[in-house]
Amino acid sequence: MQKKIERFFDKIFENRMFKVLSVYVLGILIFYLASSTVNRIISKYFTIDEKLILQIPKFVFLVLFTTTVIYILYKTALKRYQPSIFLIHSLVVSSLIYVMLKWVIDKDGWGFILFSSKLLYVDLLGVLLFLSIILIIKNLLSNKEFEKRPNPFISDDPILLKGDDKLNYHKRASKIVEYLERSNFKNSFTIGIVGPWGNGKSSLISLIEEKLEEKRIEHTIHLKFLPYLNHSETDIISEFFKQLSTEINKYSGRLSNQFLKYSDKLLKLYKDKSISEFFKPNSSLFSDSSSYDTYKKINDTLNRLDKKYIVFIDDLDRLSNNEVLQVLKLVRNTANFKNFIFLIALDKDYVLESLLVKNDIADHTFVDKFFQLEVYLPEIEKSQLKTDFIGLLKKTDLGFEAEFVRNVETCIYREDNLFDDYISNYRGVKRLVNQLVFDFKTLPDELDTNDFLNFTYLKMTFPYAIKFLNNNWSTIIPYNPETNLCELVETEKDSDKGDTLKAMRRYRVFYLNQKLNIDFGKYEISKDINKEIKFDESNNLTKQQNILLVKTLIVLFGKENFADSHTSIKFENNLRKLLQQKIQEKDLSEIKFKSIFNFDNDFENLNKLLNEGHTNSILNRLAYFNTIDKDEALKTIIILLYIFDDAESYATHSTSVWNILSEFIGRQLKLKIGNNDFWTDNDKPSIWKYIIQEFIDKDNFKLESKIKFLALISESRIRLDFSDWGTTEDDLKELSISLYKNLLDDKQNNLWSIYDYSFYHAYHDVRKFHTADTVNPITIEFWSQNDITLLCAQMTQNDAWTTKMLKTSDYAAQLFESKHKYKEFINNNLPNPITSELIEYVQFLELESYTDFSRYIRFEFLSFNFIKQKLQRVIDFNNLAQDEAETIVEIVLKSDNKDLWDITHTNMSTNVISGFIELRRYNVNDTFFTFIRLQSSNYHKSIPEMFQHFKKMLDGKDIKSKIDLDKKSITVEDTDESIKIISIQPISYDSKI
């Protein structure tokens, strides 16, 4: 009965509202009793003479009033201003005073400022006070409504109600409270609530506090101290004793003051670092005791009060090393008072590791000395965590995404899902739920749910790995052209993948879940699984964290991940989006992708997306696209052919598009095994008939692309037979020559750009089906009817890294049987009158023929604009700042007989001829030529030295000769036989001899 009465009065007298109302009632009473004095003070000091008031125009008061009303509305209605406690009390007090002065107390010599007329009466001050209070109350209520709104995320608050206790911690809390109720200690007693991060330690403390509130144990005082709210060792001591003093003050003002004195003495001790201070009398005017004396007096007072003090200290593992030590010393030494019971929540392993790493303690037994009892929280069952995880997920915004939640629930029970490895407590569950809620809206379309979950675990736990992969993914998980996926680098014997892989190898696998059946030795990051690894100093992860990191990478990006469709994380587009943690506005959405199957307005949707830069995204999706709908399958083929037709302009390659197309056909055929009518329905065209109808026969597709398409079918006949397409080789053969003839007709007198070589590609593609005897005559006939200037320019080919060394393309020999016949064709088809460009080209062909068309020759075109444009493009494309043949001069000698020809190469060297580089000689139909290359810087003396050398050689054979430098020759006397320079390139050196 006594306890009930005590609790009743505790609720009244300790209630904050009671204290506030008491102050207000006392204030009103005093104000009322002093009303005459109040009137006198107001009249004397706060009133203005009525005559002066009447002189002020009323509109001034109206302006001030209106401005104040607008300001109040602006702050409260628009800004939703939440007032401070001081402002609320100020408004309430002002209103009470206003009411009392206006209607309760007789006014003497003063009045209120009013605005009145026959129609309107306004108490200006009263309106402002009333408006302010109403709007502030409205804001406070609306704030309460805001707090009741459904939260899209799950908060990480400790359990406060028994109904939220999924681990039945309330039973454990009841047991602890029962022991506390029976306990009595001479000094302090410390209980450690030990468990890993997120395992419910704070929840257990909250439940114990709730039990203590329910039971109201006699003579028991409890308080909660949160040391992580302080910022230094001294703050921890000061705040603890201040909080303790405040709580004790309800029962003993004397003890409260003793705690404050004790705290001051301790703070001085820490400041001066002198233990002697602890025993010296305080120099204060009102104290002559030492801290130790104060400590004994505190214990004496505690004995007389005969109460029990329970102090909860939570989140010890949030503190720094020094702060942890300070709290431990506080509870065991500094606050070692009678019947003080400390309940401390901590992750003991974390605290020990932190202290040992910093060498703050010698061994783990140091911490054990501070606790007389440790309450270990059990490991939470994974099945329970998974059940509660799904339950929480359904309570968030994702609860409306029923299919996604079902997929998640299925995935977390799969062997290749790493939920068990990453999630070990409720805090982890809540973090995972919140992360999924936040990331869901920014997911790539149709991302594999299991991949998404595994990647989310990785991102939450190893943010460094995400940053590392984002910068190096093309090396660690490069694109695999065989699978069209990004996959881990597999091991290669005696190979080194460079610094990037070396950096990644610090994440080694030591053991993994064998249920996954992983071949660890086949990946670069895990190949040393059986070796002892010394971790890099830069790696701040523990051994177990390294293991988990690599395990995750293998599960995500190894061959073990069989999610090989466009939904896989290994699909490049998805990987890029996840690593960059954003989806660009230009990313291809599912809606946009499906729109390309709408062929209205001549592929308008497809063409728009291609021009916006979505080509690779579309191709990547189609690389994995399958359908059982024939119309959709046929449309897919035409979409790919549409891109194939102009692939280079869409920043891709026609062969890449072809590979995707042929693989799609192959997949569709496999899907339709047993349904032989899939390509040959009576009411719908077969695949080949459809391609003919929608691609081959359509004028909006290029003839060159159609010819190339047929050639690729021929090239891939081993992988995909002609019959798989629904056609035959003979049909393709006939179709290809027909298309080629159409191309020739189309190009008749309508030649192409100097940079366009598609005509020659078409020729080679037709040759996949036909021999030269069929294709060459019609091609030669075409050129005999057209301007050969373009042919000459495109048949001219430069050597690598130079535009000065040129030759005729081998295509000329393929088309005309030999380059000599090509030369003959050119000479027979020269226009009349001949152009300066072709005159120059004929000279080039003639000079090249002296080598039997066997090598590049030094030649510089001065008039042939097509060739000059072509070579300039080579310079620009290859950024040829310097041409390696720029300083080479090539001379061509013609000898009248073999003996003279032999002299041109005898003993030729730099010792004989300045700047000599090399020499080649040719016998073309018993006509003798020698090509000599010289350094241009020595050219002015090289030619005279060369002829002097020839003369010396002839003199040695008793053959008289004479040199004529003007004619650039040496002639045998009494004969017309000579060695003569017939060409100098560049031609500008011809006058420099």
Side-chain angles (χ1 to χ4, degrees), residues 464-595:
Y464 166 82
I466 302 302
K467 179 181 179 181
F468 184 88
L469 288 175
N470 192 33
N471 295 330
N472 302 285
W473 70 269
S474 59
T475 304
I476 303 300
I477 40 178
Y479 179 77
N480 185 344
E482 296 181 2
T483 61
N484 295 321
L485 298 171
C486 296
E487 296 182 314
L488 285 175
V489 176
E490 295 188 54
T491 304
E492 295 180 13
K493 292 183 179 180
D494 301 324
S495 65
D496 193 344
K497 295 300 182 181
D499 293 338
T500 306
L501 275 179
K502 287 179 180 178
M504 199 62 184
R505 282 180 189 168
R506 67 170 175 262
Y507 303 111
R508 306 289 185 153
V509 178
F510 290 83
Y511 63 83
L512 292 170
N513 186 344
Q514 297 305 313
K515 293 187 298 182
L516 299 177
N517 193 26
I518 298 173
D519 180 7
F520 313 122
K522 70 180 180 181
Y523 299 114
E524 280 288 330
I525 61 171
S526 59
K527 68 179 183 179
D528 296 320
I529 183 173
N530 296 319
K531 295 181 181 179
E532 185 68 28
I533 304 300
K534 181 179 180 182
F535 293 100
D536 292 0
E537 292 181 2
S538 60
N539 178 10
N540 294 321
L541 302 180
T542 65
K543 179 177 179 180
Q544 289 300 107
Q545 287 173 323
N546 280 293
I547 293 168
L548 183 55
L549 174 59
V550 178
K551 178 178 181 179
T552 308
L553 293 176
I554 291 176
V555 168
L556 282 172
F557 304 111
K559 296 291 186 182
E560 290 73 12
N561 185 352
F562 297 106
D564 57 356
S565 71
H566 72 278
T567 65
S568 171
I569 191 174
K570 296 194 289 185
F571 187 62
E572 182 179 345
N573 221 27
N574 292 336
L575 176 61
R576 176 180 54 80
K577 293 174 184 177
L578 287 172
L579 289 178
Q580 294 177 352
Q581 295 294 287
K582 61 183 177 181
I583 296 180
Q584 304 289 347
E585 291 182 4
K586 291 187 177 181
D587 283 338
L588 182 67
S589 66
E590 185 68 13
I591 294 175
K592 288 181 179 179
F593 174 70
K594 289 181 178 178
S595 74

Side-chain angles (χ1 to χ4, degrees), residues 112-123:
F112 291 90
I113 299 174
L114 305 173
F115 179 81
S116 61
S117 66
K118 293 180 179 180
L119 300 176
L120 187 64
Y121 174 85
V122 178
D123 184 339

Side-chain angles (χ1 to χ4, degrees), residues 36-83:
S36 59
T37 304
V38 170
N39 273 337
R40 189 165 57 251
I41 293 172
I42 292 175
S43 298
K44 185 175 182 179
Y45 298 107
F46 297 101
T47 58
I48 304 173
D49 188 88
E50 188 175 357
K51 294 179 181 179
L52 293 176
I53 293 291
L54 294 173
Q55 291 178 6
I56 301 174
K58 287 188 176 181
F59 82 89
V60 173
F61 293 107
L62 282 176
V63 170
L64 291 173
F65 172 76
T66 304
T67 303
T68 307
V69 169
I70 292 173
Y71 178 76
I72 291 171
L73 292 172
Y74 160 74
K75 289 293 286 185
T76 56
L78 296 179
K79 288 293 188 179
R80 304 277 181 173
Y81 176 71
Q82 297 296 319

Side-chain angles (χ1 to χ4, degrees), residues 694-754:
E694 299 297 330
F695 178 64
I696 301 296
D697 289 347
K698 290 283 179 139
D699 293 335
N700 56 326
F701 293 112
K702 300 174 184 176
L703 286 166
E704 297 94 327
S705 298
K706 298 172 184 178
I707 295 169
K708 183 172 186 177
F709 171 66
L710 300 181
L712 288 168
I713 292 178
S714 177
E715 288 178 6
S716 66
R717 67 182 73 185
I718 295 177
R719 184 173 59 179
L720 208 62
D721 192 61
F722 298 119
S723 60
D724 292 328
W725 293 88
T727 186
T728 64
E729 185 175 8
D730 289 339
D731 287 342
L732 295 179
K733 187 175 183 179
E734 181 180 346
L735 184 58
S736 67
I737 196 67
S738 173
L739 290 172
Y740 187 64
K741 289 178 179 178
N742 291 340
L743 177 64
L744 294 178
D745 292 340
D746 187 57
K747 299 295 184 183
Q748 191 73 32
N749 298 317
N750 184 30
L751 298 181
W752 48 92
S753 161
I754 180 63

Side-chain angles (χ1 to χ4, degrees), residues 961-975:
S961 61
K962 63 178 180 179
I963 298 172
D964 189 342
L965 290 178
D966 291 334
K967 293 183 178 180
K968 310 177 190 68
S969 66
I970 180 170
T971 306
V972 177
E973 291 185 0
D974 302 327
T975 70

Side-chain angles (χ1 to χ4, degrees), residues 339-380:
N339 262 340
F340 264 68
I341 303 171
F342 293 93
L343 278 82
I344 302 178
L346 74 158
D347 181 345
K348 190 174 180 182
D349 289 337
Y350 173 83
V351 170
L352 282 170
E353 184 179 344
S354 176
L355 294 175
L356 286 168
V357 167
K358 297 294 183 179
N359 295 318
D360 292 316
I361 61 175
D363 54 54
H364 70 278
T365 59
F366 176 85
V367 177
D368 295 340
K369 299 173 184 177
F370 291 88
F371 297 94
Q372 285 76 48
L373 171 66
E374 291 185 354
V375 178
Y376 289 93
L377 299 185
E379 183 178 349
I380 305 173

Side-chain angles (χ1 to χ4, degrees), residues 679-885:
W679 295 122
T680 57
D681 289 349
N682 294 328
D683 59 331
K684 296 175 183 176
S686 67
I687 176 177
W688 189 249
K689 184 177 179 182
Y690 187 76
I691 290 174
I692 293 291
Q693 174 183 309
E694 299 297 330
F695 178 64
I696 301 296
D697 289 347
K698 290 283 179 139
D699 293 335
N700 56 326
F701 293 112
K702 300 174 184 176
L703 286 166
E704 297 94 327
S705 298
K706 298 172 184 178
I707 295 169
K708 183 172 186 177
F709 171 66
L710 300 181
L712 288 168
I713 292 178
S714 177
E715 288 178 6
S716 66
R717 67 182 73 185
I718 295 177
R719 184 173 59 179
L720 208 62
D721 192 61
F722 298 119
S723 60
D724 292 328
W725 293 88
T727 186
T728 64
E729 185 175 8
D730 289 339
D731 287 342
L732 295 179
K733 187 175 183 179
E734 181 180 346
L735 184 58
S736 67
I737 196 67
S738 173
L739 290 172
Y740 187 64
K741 289 178 179 178
N742 291 340
L743 177 64
L744 294 178
D745 292 340
D746 187 57
K747 299 295 184 183
Q748 191 73 32
N749 298 317
N750 184 30
L751 298 181
W752 48 92
S753 161
I754 180 63
Y755 309 119
D756 182 2
Y757 285 85
S758 57
F759 177 86
Y760 307 100
H761 297 154
Y763 168 85
H764 288 293
D765 289 335
V766 175
R767 287 289 304 271
K768 302 286 173 60
F769 294 100
H770 298 276
T771 63
D773 293 340
T774 302
V775 184
N776 287 358
I778 59 176
T779 309
I780 294 172
E781 178 64 22
F782 168 80
W783 280 117
S784 66
Q785 298 174 13
N786 285 273
D787 186 355
I788 60 170
T789 304
L790 179 62
L791 174 66
C792 296
Q794 292 194 319
M795 287 302 98
T796 305
Q797 176 181 327
N798 64 289
D799 199 0
W801 309 112
T802 176
T803 57
K804 308 300 182 183
M805 310 301 295
L806 307 172
K807 75 171 186 176
T808 300
S809 170
D810 293 338
Y811 170 75
Q814 294 177 12
L815 180 59
F816 296 93
E817 296 184 27
S818 71
K819 292 182 181 180
H820 286 286
K821 287 189 176 182
Y822 164 69
K823 177 189 170 209
E824 183 180 334
F825 173 83
I826 296 299
N827 287 330
N828 291 336
N829 286 273
L830 294 171
N832 188 15
I834 188 172
T835 64
S836 60
E837 294 177 320
L838 290 178
I839 290 174
E840 195 172 42
Y841 184 73
V842 168
Q843 294 171 352
F844 165 73
L845 275 183
E846 183 67 24
L847 190 60
E848 188 189 8
S849 70
Y850 298 159
T851 70
D852 203 19
F853 295 100
S854 64
R855 70 185 297 232
Y856 290 95
I857 64 170
R858 178 74 164 91
F859 198 89
E860 201 149 18
F861 285 96
L862 301 177
S863 302
F864 208 144
N865 287 328
F866 272 174
I867 293 181
K868 289 167 67 178
Q869 292 172 22
K870 175 182 173 180
L871 295 178
Q872 184 59 45
R873 188 165 193 173
V874 172
I875 294 171
D876 296 339
F877 183 79
N878 293 288
N879 194 24
L880 289 178
Q882 291 184 339
D883 195 309
E884 63 182 26

